[in-house]
Amino acid sequence: MNLPSQKIKKDIATMPHRALLRASGLKDEDFKKPFIGVANSFNDIIPGHIHLNKLTEEVKRGIKDAGGVPFEWGVPGVCDGIAMYVEMRLSLPSREHIADNIEIMTLSHSLDGWVGVTNCDKITPGMLMAAGRLDLPSIILTGGPMKAGKVNGKKMDVVSDFEAVGQIEVGKITQKKAKEIECGSCPGAGSCAGLFTANSMACMTETLGMSLTGCATALAVSKEKKKQAYETGKKAVELVRKNIRPRDIMTKNAFYNAVMVDMAIGGSTNTALHLPAIAKEVGIELSLDTFDDIARVTPNICHIRPSGPYFMEDMDKAGGVGAVLNRLKKHLRESKTVNGKSIKKIASSSKVKDDEIIRPLEEPFYKEGGIAVLKGNIADFSVIKQTAVSSDMMKFLGPAKVFTCEKDVLDAVKNKKIVDGDVVVISFMGPAGAPGMPEMLTPTAAIAGAGLKVALLTDGRFSGGTRGACIGHIEPEAYQGGSIGAIQNGDIIEIDIPRRKLNVKLTKKEINKRLINIKIPKRKTTPFLEKYRKEQLEK
């Protein structure tokens, strides 16, 4: 097999290249082995990544034991929970940056294959995008969920903190109680403990066939995760030797299966951003209509935080993604995986260990899947996690309260200017408008914590931790002339999730007249954000 590294290993012209590699520690025997890159997104900021160096050592050990040579480098990452509200406009753009990082390192150094060691929100999709783009043999190791925290015997996670903000503002809890939540909700290493974006994308990675079975839900601190890291390293060498590439695995059928699992488990609405972007890198179009079509025929069989009371550790004990696949096995489409088994074989050999955590299809939590796509005169497309919406909010009619930044929403909650029945609109928060399309967990969680019965619309996006009647990803965005930018205080908004409708009670003529005089809020940006805005406007 003609591996990319062969030119470096044998040609006379590449003798200087070999000299440099010898300076990095390679011996004669190493030039006979596959060169395997290890893209390690370790840092000591993100809780989901603080343990990745230890896992990476196991990956490298597996590569060596399988007869390969590992080459490790660093990949950046943004912790959405830490960046949220303060400055998280860089988070979504970092996804493309991560894909570029891997393209730069793998191609510049003639690597034969690579392993992505990842865990959190944009890092995992960025790595999957790179896998599809480069089509070099590759495999992903997701670092595993955090254990749920405990405060006075009650399980909690980071969303408990976000919702406590609203509870403090309206006097529902004391500062002392808030400090207890802050100190007890996030006990250590791992991606946040619910089915938020990081863990949703880990489940998508496993379903797409790009990680080992069980990888998505095995806890970060478990012995199983360490074992998976070693096996992932070994598997990377095998994939190179067998010339199995991501485009052999991430097929149209694989994306169909991933969306189906997403709907069944009630994953983050951010999957509707990431899966289409990954699919695009392998030349597949994955529309939001596909999400909605699959949601209508796929029942929601898991009720993991924030939709329900269970945590990722509960899902793992119940059988993980394999058990979900088992429930769906009659509806899955055939696709390959890095395991060497088809997705249907994995589904058949997996077992459900808890019928309440992962319910039978005939006894779902909801008849439809997690995500609904709403359309109307406000949006050509918009997305809501319908399984996290209470039954009395599935249809909603109310007056708009319009904002263009999150801080103003928090101030309005604190000053009781948002009341039951309102529809909070946060506009100019899209990819070009913010720029960077930040998540709105801070205001949505504050509203939930305050106990307000309101809906929320934005052309930005929501964290996987958001619950309630929160509609995001509104297209077109306000910055590019979208109708959301025309909405004013007092306009009546009509939401009908079962009928997939989202409208403002204005005529087309009234909307167009307002858009002519629209005032775009001025925001401080950076060169990186300006570059991202320009790319969005050129699409």
Side-chain angles (χ1 to χ4, degrees):
M1 182 178 17
N2 188 22
L3 297 175
S5 63
Q6 289 299 99
K7 193 170 184 180
I8 283 184
K9 293 171 179 175
K10 293 185 176 180
D11 282 14
I12 293 296
T14 56
M15 184 176 70
H17 306 59
R18 293 191 292 278
L20 290 168
L21 288 169
R22 289 179 189 278
S24 296
L26 267 65
K27 309 295 183 187
D28 281 348
E29 59 267 25
D30 293 323
F31 291 98
K32 299 173 186 177
K33 301 173 183 177
F35 285 180
I36 310 294
V38 183
N40 177 12
S41 63
F42 162 82
N43 59 63
D44 56 14
I45 303 172
I46 307 175
H49 292 234
I50 59 175
H51 64 305
L52 295 187
N53 268 351
K54 293 178 181 178
L55 294 182
T56 296
E57 287 305 310
E58 289 301 304
V59 169
K60 290 162 68 176
R61 189 168 71 87
I63 291 169
K64 290 175 183 177
D65 286 355
V69 181
F71 294 94
E72 178 189 348
W73 74 90
V75 174
V78 172
C79 178
D80 284 15
I82 296 172
M84 195 91 61
Y85 178 65
V86 181
E87 179 52 278
M88 78 162 306
R89 294 178 298 168
L90 297 157
S91 177
L92 184 58
S94 76
R95 184 186 70 181
E96 277 69 18
H97 179 73
I98 288 158
D100 292 345
N101 170 297
I102 293 165
E103 178 181 348
I104 290 165
M105 293 300 290
T106 54
L107 298 185
S108 298
H109 302 104
S110 301
L111 301 179
D112 302 315
W114 62 279
V115 179
V117 183
T118 173
N119 215 19
C120 288
D121 298 52
K122 309 305 166 297
I123 301 93
T124 300
M127 288 191 178
L128 287 168
M129 287 168 67
R133 179 190 303 177
L134 300 168
D135 202 32
L136 284 171
S138 53
I139 183 171
I140 304 297
L141 174 73
T142 50
M146 185 187 297
K147 286 179 67 68
K150 277 192 177 180
V151 179
N152 297 324
K154 183 181 178 182
K155 283 187 176 182
M156 291 193 174
D157 55 39
V158 70
V159 173
S160 307
D161 292 276
F162 279 98
E163 294 188 356
V165 173
Q167 293 170 335
I168 293 167
E169 298 289 15
V170 298
K172 283 190 168 185
I173 61 172
T174 63
Q175 289 285 351
K176 181 181 178 183
K177 176 65 175 177
K179 186 66 179 289
E180 290 176 356
I181 295 171
E182 177 186 331
C183 295
S185 57
C186 299
S191 49
C192 298
L195 190 59
F196 314 137
T197 304
N199 291 323
S200 295
M201 286 309 303
C203 293
M204 297 301 93
T205 304
E206 186 174 330
T207 307
L208 283 171
M210 288 298 293
S211 65
L212 296 179
T213 300
C215 190
T217 58
L219 290 177
V221 296
S222 66
K223 291 181 181 178
E224 180 61 25
K225 182 56 65 180
K226 208 170 180 181
K227 180 182 175 184
Q228 288 170 355
Y230 176 75
E231 293 298 328
T232 295
K234 289 181 68 176
K235 185 63 69 173
V237 178
E238 180 185 326
L239 292 170
V240 169
R241 287 184 168 143
K242 291 183 177 179
N243 195 29
I244 298 172
R245 297 170 181 263
R247 293 190 185 188
D248 300 325
I249 293 167
M250 291 195 288
T251 60
K252 195 170 184 178
N253 281 356
F255 282 100
Y256 182 92
N257 293 337
V259 174
M260 186 187 299
V261 168
D262 189 18
M263 298 305 105
I265 63 177
S268 165
T269 53
N270 281 317
T271 58
L273 280 176
H274 299 320
L275 287 175
I278 298 161
K280 185 178 179 181
E281 294 286 358
V282 300
I284 294 170
E285 183 181 354
L286 182 62
S287 71
L288 287 180
D289 283 332
T290 301
F291 282 74
D292 199 59
D293 290 344
I294 294 174
R296 289 178 184 273
V297 297
T298 306
N300 172 239
I301 57 175
C302 295
H303 216 35
I304 313 298
R305 288 270 295 165
S307 299
Y310 304 115
F311 294 80
M312 290 303 294
E313 59 194 56
D314 300 314
M315 185 175 172
D316 187 56
K317 289 175 184 175
V321 171
V324 176
L325 292 170
N326 181 270
R327 294 293 199 207
L328 299 168
K329 60 186 175 183
K330 291 181 181 178
H331 307 282
L332 294 170
R333 295 180 177 179
E334 197 61 90
S335 61
K336 296 179 180 179
T337 75
V338 293
N339 298 279
K341 296 178 181 179
S342 73
I343 201 76
K344 284 195 171 186
K345 284 187 178 178
I346 291 169
S348 296
S349 60
S350 299
K351 293 181 180 180
V352 180
K353 300 174 184 177
D354 190 320
D355 288 338
E356 176 57 23
I357 306 297
I358 303 173
R359 287 188 175 182
L361 297 183
E362 301 77 24
E363 300 172 26
F365 289 101
Y366 294 94
K367 291 182 179 179
E368 291 189 352
I371 290 175
V373 177
L374 311 187
K375 301 179 184 182
N377 68 354
I378 296 176
D380 293 344
F381 290 97
S382 65
V383 177
I384 185 168
K385 185 189 273 194
Q386 63 175 338
T387 50
V389 180
S390 61
S391 58
D392 61 340
M393 294 290 288
M394 295 297 280
K395 293 183 179 181
F396 195 78
L397 186 74
K401 292 278 180 70
V402 181
F403 306 88
T404 57
C405 73
E406 295 174 86
K407 183 180 183 304
D408 289 348
V409 179
L410 289 187
D411 289 344
V413 171
K414 183 177 181 179
N415 297 320
K416 297 180 171 57
K417 291 183 178 179
I418 295 172
V419 298
D420 286 350
D422 284 343
V423 179
V424 176
V425 178
I426 314 178
S427 56
F428 293 95
M429 299 300 282
M437 203 181 188
E439 291 180 347
M440 304 284 120
L441 179 58
T442 298
T444 62
I447 287 168
L452 291 167
K453 186 179 177 181
V454 302
L456 192 148
L457 314 181
T458 183
D459 49 5
R461 59 195 176 91
F462 294 120
S463 160
T466 294
R467 61 187 176 94
C470 299
I471 302 165
H473 305 203
I474 288 176
E475 299 177 20
E477 61 172 298
Y479 193 88
Q480 301 204 53
S483 298
I484 187 174
I487 299 172
Q488 297 177 0
N489 286 329
D491 290 341
I492 301 301
I493 308 289
E494 184 176 16
I495 300 165
D496 190 332
I497 297 171
R499 294 178 61 236
R500 306 301 202 256
K501 297 294 183 184
L502 176 63
N503 290 293
V504 57
K505 294 207 168 186
L506 296 172
T507 65
K508 188 174 182 180
K509 185 177 179 180
E510 287 172 315
I511 291 171
N512 290 337
K513 185 178 179 180
R514 289 185 185 182
L515 289 175
I516 293 170
N517 301 309
I518 204 164
K519 290 184 179 180
I520 297 174
K522 292 183 179 180
R523 306 192 198 279
K524 186 178 179 180
T525 62
T526 67
F528 185 68
L529 284 171
E530 285 295 342
K531 176 175 175 284
Y532 186 76
R533 172 180 275 168
K534 184 179 178 182
E535 289 170 353
Q536 299 307 307
L537 294 174
E538 289 173 352
K539 281 186 178 180

